[in-house]
Amino acid sequence: MTTHNYSSQFLISYQQLHFNMLASRSDSQLRSLENPDKQTMRGESSKRSDKLLEIPRKKLNMRLYTEQEQKIQDLINSKSITISIIALVGIYAILIFVIVALEELMDETEFNNVSIILSWIELGILIVFILEIAVGLYAWGVMKYYKDKWLILDTLIILLSLFFVIFELADQKTSNVVKVIQAVFRFLRIFLLIRKAQTFRRLSTISTISTPAEKIVRFLSELKEVIELESMKLDIDYCIDKIGNNQLYQMGKLDEDNAEAMGWLNQSQQGKSSVRKIVTGDQQQQQKKVLANFQKLNIPKRVLEVLDKQHDDLYIDPFECDKLSGGEGLIYLMLFLFENYNLYDVFLIKPKVVRSYFEEVTKGYQDNPYHNRVHAQDVAQTCNFLLNRCKFIEIGQLDEQDIACVLIAGAIHDYGHPGLTNAFLINSKNELALTYNDQSVLEMFHPSQCFKIAWTNQKANIFENLPFQKYRRIRESIISMVLSTDMAHHASELAITNSRVAAPDFEPYGKDKQRLMDLVVHSSDVSNPTKNFEIYKQWTEKVLTEFWQQGDKERELGLPISYLCNRYTTNMAEAQLGFIDYVVKPTFSCIQGFLPAFEPYFENLDKNKAKWQELVGYYKQQLASIQTQ
Ligand SMILES: [Zn+2]
């Protein structure tokens, strides 16, 4: 009994050890010989890889398999063969336990008689295992087959088992020492069971559903297996890593010269619709109608005149509008645009509801230097410039519902902004960061609050009369657009949009529409540098004032001072040069890609850049004078 206890303890610890080792093996090693999907993979990929390998084969020094070898590989990896082998291992394990049990229970002569039969069965099973290895060696070659180091141990155990069985059958008068070795060794053979059981577990857990990314990764892994050039293998590893970690569209590490780009980009972290023909109709008549409707709403005449002339003009002066409208510019703009695009009919509401809603929205904007109601009005109005003047309505075949979503998203996109960045909120453990788990904190907060305004205030509920499905689509679209204003996702999202715009199956009016609507709102949010320098400069001073206020707070709280937030070191002109180069130019060149009407405005970026370049020295002097004070 003591030997039995010892044996089972040995078995348990061996199992644990082996499972740990299995766990530490790389996935590709396991995949290389155990992947049951290989059959289909090879079927799908062999044509492609053959083509791919035609030219570079010599260069890559590849070991390619013959058709026969591939067929055998597929056969070995097939589910039926694998399961048969596993079943045989199970039988083998039972056999070993029977042998050990009988040895304990029977007397020596009785056991010797039985053990001859059992040994012959064991011999038969071991021969099958040897054959399996031999076929594997033929199909993959020695180097490739034993790339999985565990197979060496596997082979060794089987060969030694074979030796012991033959030894036993040839000479039954074994010494006691040999018997002890044999007993221990039998348990070692359980190793086979564990190894094959692991294969079985993988077989049963592998899902038949896979994404294109998974297929690509598998294809690349396969390719890696047949390539012998080390540098190429490293390249493939790089590809697998980027696909597997969803980093295809992430910007690489930028060098020192591009630190500014990193600052901008990481700021927040430290079916087809109907064609719309609204504005191209009888404009004079429409103008009269709009004017008449606004007169009913008691809109100040001068505001109405400005909106009428400039509602889709990039160069409208938002500060002047705000002054003219007594701080109600956003409300009037939205009332005007709702009328212009017949959106009252889409939402089945009266203008007074829209008025109440945007009154609430306006109230929600805090008196920040930059992120305030004027910025909201400016962004909504720039969205309208892209919709109308740049013909996004026509190119994207936007219907009234889409237009409403873009305009509302622009108007609400910074609602309740505290004048602090996501980074600050996260670093200072602000309640908003805790609520939204540090993920696009403000961009989650803004739309959330704006939907709450509607549903907690019946008079201001612009969504109330929408059929539920329509409401859901509108809500989803608005949230998507506001989330797109998070600078943390700027580079990756822009890269994807660029690749979509360049794709042969690009559909601005179909599957790509929402992505473009997102970009329209995001680009409007960073559009200051596309405008008249005088207005742009005012925005710049405002945004930096807000950043510097945050920097002062960070200094006070002992938090790291965010990029651009240090009033003693930030050169306003240099900061804008970086902003234009790394954020605004790439964004609007993408816009230009699908809205060619933007082209004449694009040159404003260079004109404004030249103006900031002239001012770099001036701001340097300013900084120097502050530092000496
Ligand atoms: Zn904004």
Side-chain angles (χ1 to χ4, degrees):
M1 287 310 283
T2 46
T3 46
H4 184 80
N5 282 341
Y6 172 76
S7 303
S8 49
Q9 258 179 1
F10 168 77
L11 182 65
I12 292 162
S13 52
Y14 189 85
Q15 272 179 337
Q16 277 169 349
L17 172 78
H18 186 63
F19 272 120
N20 290 344
M21 287 197 216
L22 273 177
S24 69
R25 285 161 71 192
S26 81
D27 224 35
S28 66
Q29 273 179 307
L30 279 171
R31 209 184 296 117
S32 67
L33 288 166
E34 296 175 4
N35 187 0
D37 279 0
K38 208 157 191 162
Q39 195 175 12
T40 48
M41 255 313 292
R42 208 174 291 284
E44 278 168 24
S45 62
S46 61
K47 277 180 206 151
R48 273 178 292 150
S49 47
D50 284 347
K51 239 188 179 176
L52 188 83
L53 303 177
E54 259 168 28
I55 304 158
R57 186 178 169 177
K58 274 182 210 156
K59 265 197 219 163
L60 301 174
N61 189 20
M62 281 176 174
R63 153 97 163 86
L64 288 182
Y65 298 111
T66 64
E67 217 179 284
Q68 198 183 0
E69 284 169 341
Q70 283 197 20
K71 271 185 190 164
I72 296 170
Q73 288 173 7
D74 291 343
L75 188 74
I76 295 173
N77 283 323
S78 70
K79 245 183 180 164
S80 52
I81 293 286
T82 312
I83 290 169
S84 307
I85 293 287
I86 290 162
L88 206 60
V89 173
I91 294 167
Y92 185 55
I94 294 166
L95 187 76
I96 288 166
F97 276 110
V98 169
I99 292 172
V100 173
L102 291 181
E103 204 173 3
E104 290 274 337
L105 298 170
M106 289 175 167
D107 64 52
E108 213 177 328
T109 44
E110 224 181 312
F111 175 71
N112 280 345
N113 292 334
V114 182
S115 79
I116 295 172
I117 305 163
L118 296 176
S119 293
W120 278 107
I121 300 172
E122 196 179 352
L123 184 68
I125 297 173
L126 286 169
I127 287 171
V128 176
F129 289 160
I130 291 283
L131 280 174
E132 189 211 359
I133 292 169
V135 174
L137 281 170
Y138 170 75
W140 276 285
V142 180
M143 291 307 285
K144 173 76 189 301
Y145 189 80
Y146 286 123
K147 211 177 158 190
D148 180 356
K149 301 286 183 289
W150 285 104
L151 284 175
I152 299 175
L153 192 57
D154 222 342
T155 312
L156 210 67
I157 289 170
I158 290 167
L159 283 174
L160 284 170
S161 303
L162 197 70
F163 167 77
F164 276 111
V165 172
I166 293 169
F167 184 78
E168 206 171 4
L169 286 169
D171 178 21
Q172 287 167 41
K173 283 174 250 160
T174 46
S175 69
N176 280 342
V177 180
V178 174
K179 270 191 176 171
V180 171
I181 296 172
Q182 243 179 302
V184 174
F185 199 72
R186 278 194 174 118
F187 280 103
L188 198 59
R189 279 177 241 162
I190 301 294
F191 162 75
L192 290 173
L193 178 72
I194 301 160
R195 227 192 74 79
K196 302 286 178 181
Q198 181 75 8
T199 315
F200 188 69
R201 202 175 57 82
R202 287 179 63 83
L203 263 180
S204 56
T205 54
I206 283 170
S207 164
T208 48
I209 302 162
S210 60
T211 60
E214 285 173 84
K215 281 188 182 162
I216 293 166
V217 167
R218 252 187 257 148
F219 170 65
L220 289 172
S221 308
E222 290 250 305
L223 191 63
K224 204 184 128 192
E225 297 289 328
V226 294
I227 288 173
E228 279 167 35
L229 197 74
E230 283 307 315
S231 61
M232 196 77 171
K233 280 187 180 183
L234 287 175
D235 287 345
I236 293 177
D237 278 340
Y238 174 81
C239 298
I240 293 172
D241 178 59
K242 293 298 150 196
I243 296 167
N245 293 309
N246 200 13
Q247 291 173 335
L248 275 181
Y249 300 102
Q250 217 164 64
M251 272 209 177
K253 237 187 171 181
L254 296 169
D255 53 35
E256 283 251 54
D257 291 346
N258 285 334
E260 211 161 337
M262 288 307 284
W264 281 108
L265 303 176
N266 289 326
Q267 216 186 63
S268 61
Q269 288 300 326
Q270 328 183 18
K272 285 189 190 179
S273 55
S274 62
V275 185
R276 173 92 198 162
K277 290 174 188 155
I278 26 152
V279 195
T280 47
D282 188 348
Q283 286 196 332
Q284 252 189 344
Q285 216 178 1
Q286 192 171 342
Q287 207 170 328
K288 271 181 198 162
K289 187 189 142 206
V290 169
L291 288 171
N293 277 322
F294 271 97
Q295 272 153 12
K296 273 185 232 161
L297 282 161
N298 298 323
I299 285 182
K301 205 178 162 213
R302 285 181 64 196
V303 178
L304 184 56
E305 278 168 5
V306 172
L307 286 171
D308 188 42
K309 273 189 205 141
Q310 287 191 283
H311 68 94
D312 67 346
D313 186 349
L314 188 66
Y315 306 126
I316 190 172
D317 185 340
F319 307 110
E320 189 59 32
C321 281
D322 188 63
K323 255 189 230 159
L324 271 179
S325 56
E328 300 201 318
L330 181 63
I331 304 163
Y332 295 141
L333 175 71
M334 294 309 283
L335 280 168
F336 181 94
L337 295 175
F338 261 64
E339 181 60 38
N340 189 43
Y341 296 115
N342 297 321
L343 305 182
Y344 297 112
D345 294 344
V346 176
F347 286 78
L348 305 166
I349 40 167
K350 292 203 167 109
K352 66 175 182 189
V353 182
V354 174
R355 177 184 266 274
S356 301
Y357 181 71
F358 287 103
E359 269 172 9
E360 291 301 320
V361 171
T362 302
K363 266 191 248 163
Y365 276 98
Q366 297 186 26
D367 253 341
N368 300 316
Y370 183 86
H371 290 102
N372 51 39
R373 60 167 194 263
V374 188
H375 169 64
Q377 174 201 323
D378 180 49
V379 171
Q381 202 267 330
T382 309
C383 286
N384 188 46
F385 157 77
L386 292 168
L387 285 172
N388 205 14
R389 189 74 64 99
C390 294
K391 302 189 166 38
F392 183 42
I393 292 171
E394 280 167 51
I395 288 161
Q397 297 186 7
L398 268 58
D399 60 16
E400 289 88 344
Q401 189 178 312
D402 297 324
I403 296 168
C405 289
V406 173
L407 295 172
I408 294 170
I412 67 159
H413 85 282
D414 272 330
Y415 177 90
H417 199 296
L420 300 159
T421 62
N422 283 338
F424 182 92
L425 299 175
I426 294 165
N427 291 341
S428 62
K429 300 167 193 72
N430 185 282
E431 206 189 315
L432 285 179
L434 296 173
T435 303
Y436 297 105
N437 301 318
D438 301 350
Q439 306 293 312
S440 298
V441 176
L442 287 168
E443 294 73 18
M444 295 276 239
F445 170 68
H446 306 313
S448 162
Q449 293 303 302
C450 288
F451 280 97
K452 271 188 196 162
I453 293 174
W455 291 105
T456 54
N457 186 346
Q458 209 194 349
K459 274 187 196 164
N461 192 352
I462 55 171
F463 307 113
E464 197 179 17
N465 297 331
L466 287 169
F468 183 67
Q469 286 307 326
K470 206 176 204 180
Y471 166 69
R472 273 195 62 182
R473 281 198 296 275
I474 287 176
R475 176 171 157 81
E476 198 182 335
S477 178
I478 292 173
I479 292 171
S480 169
M481 284 183 268
V482 179
L483 285 176
S484 79
T485 63
D486 183 355
M487 282 304 293
H489 307 305
H490 165 83
S492 56
E493 289 302 317
L494 188 64
I496 298 172
T497 311
N498 269 323
S499 66
R500 285 307 308 147
V501 172
D505 62 336
F506 174 56
E507 271 182 20
Y509 45 80
K511 62 183 172 205
D512 294 307
K513 184 155 77 176
Q514 184 61 51
R515 174 163 285 283
L516 300 184
M517 284 162 70
D518 291 352
L519 184 66
V520 160
V521 174
H522 170 51
S523 60
S524 300
D525 196 22
V526 295
S527 66
N528 294 336
T530 65
K531 309 197 170 175
N532 287 335
F533 189 73
E534 286 318 306
I535 289 168
Y536 169 27
K537 191 160 171 268
Q538 288 184 61
W539 283 127
T540 305
E541 284 161 358
K542 284 171 186 293
V543 81
L544 284 172
T545 304
E546 197 173 301
F547 283 167
W548 291 343
Q549 286 177 358
Q550 174 177 313
D552 296 343
K553 273 192 189 146
E554 287 170 331
R555 202 174 293 113
E556 230 177 87
L557 295 168
L559 294 171
I561 298 181
S562 302
Y563 181 67
L564 302 174
C565 293
N566 192 337
R567 64 171 74 245
Y568 302 111
T569 57
T570 307
N571 184 315
M572 194 181 286
E574 277 176 348
Q576 286 308 303
L577 292 174
F579 183 49
I580 292 174
D581 279 341
Y582 301 118
V583 177
V584 189
K585 267 193 169 183
T587 306
F588 281 92
S589 68
C590 184
I591 287 277
Q592 212 174 228
F594 64 96
L595 301 180
F598 183 77
E599 214 184 303
Y601 303 93
F602 196 83
E603 60 189 35
N604 290 347
L605 292 171
D606 283 324
K607 281 185 198 160
N608 286 336
K609 243 186 97 175
K611 288 193 172 136
W612 283 120
Q613 256 146 1
E614 282 169 22
L615 289 167
V616 170
Y618 166 78
Y619 286 108
K620 252 186 199 153
Q621 274 180 351
Q622 287 244 312
L623 283 174
S625 70
I626 300 170
Q627 279 152 5
T628 49
Q629 269 169 25

